[in-house]
Amino acid sequence: MAFSDNFFKKVEKKTNVDKKTILHLAERIQKSNMEDETVLKDVIHDIAKMTGREVSKEQEEKIISTVKSGKVPENLDKYLQ
């Protein structure tokens, strides 16, 4: 899935995470086993740290469940309005 520069600008505006960091994270995720709960937790914690946000245990478990069940939305751009 290719993202436009506009998508990256929206993400950066909402999270203060630049395009280079996002692309590095995406590359890391692509090379990781996203079925591994430990890997997922590490990624969640890294993203939370990058964005300066806290993730509760309940949120973490919901994210892990969503990723492992393959229910991650295809069109993420609509969530950045």
Side-chain angles (χ1 to χ4, degrees), residues 60-72:
E60 182 180 276
E61 291 302 318
K62 186 174 180 181
I63 293 166
I64 290 169
S65 174
T66 300
V67 171
K68 288 179 81 173
S69 67
K71 294 182 180 175
V72 178

Side-chain angles (χ1 to χ4, degrees), residues 3-80:
F3 293 106
S4 68
D5 283 336
N6 190 38
F7 172 82
F8 288 107
K9 287 177 187 173
K10 286 180 182 179
V11 172
E12 187 170 356
K13 183 177 178 182
K14 283 195 170 266
T15 65
N16 292 321
V17 179
D18 63 35
K19 181 178 178 177
K20 182 179 175 182
T21 303
I22 294 167
L23 292 174
H24 177 61
L25 177 63
E27 182 180 341
R28 176 179 158 211
I29 290 170
Q30 286 179 336
K31 293 179 179 179
S32 297
N33 176 4
M34 297 309 286
E35 296 294 320
D36 183 331
E37 198 164 314
T38 302
V39 172
L40 285 169
K41 286 182 181 184
D42 287 345
V43 170
I44 292 166
H45 293 150
D46 289 348
I47 293 171
K49 187 175 178 180
M50 279 183 230
T51 60
R53 299 193 178 175
E54 291 190 30
V55 178
S56 70
K57 275 290 191 198
E58 293 81 19
Q59 290 170 318
E60 182 180 276
E61 291 302 318
K62 186 174 180 181
I63 293 166
I64 290 169
S65 174
T66 300
V67 171
K68 288 179 81 173
S69 67
K71 294 182 180 175
V72 178
E74 289 281 327
N75 186 359
L76 296 177
D77 194 30
K78 73 179 184 177
Y79 295 100
L80 298 172

